[in-house]
Amino acid sequence: MKKIWYSNKYGWVFPGKYWIFGILGITGIFYFESTIVRIILGLWVLGCVIGLIFGDK
């Protein structure tokens, strides 16, 4: 089975996807000063954690 593929339900599936997106979200939380943007990025990171736990299978 390929390591990278496209799923109609989950979009692009590849190893480490949630780690990469989570790190980008955490970096954004420290970089931006706007409270609204930080809340949105916090929800983004929460989604990454949930995706990491439950996966794309």
Side-chain angles (χ1 to χ4, degrees), residues 14-47:
F14 56 91
K17 175 172 74 171
Y18 295 111
W19 287 104
I20 293 169
F21 290 147
I23 290 170
L24 289 173
I26 291 170
T27 304
I29 288 173
F30 288 114
Y31 180 75
F32 292 105
E33 295 179 6
S34 172
T35 306
I36 300 298
V37 174
R38 284 185 168 183
I39 290 171
I40 292 170
L41 289 172
L43 292 173
W44 174 279
V45 171
L46 178 65

Side-chain angles (χ1 to χ4, degrees), residues 6-21:
Y6 184 80
S7 167
N8 288 332
K9 186 174 182 181
Y10 299 111
W12 287 101
V13 178
F14 56 91
K17 175 172 74 171
Y18 295 111
W19 287 104
I20 293 169
F21 290 147

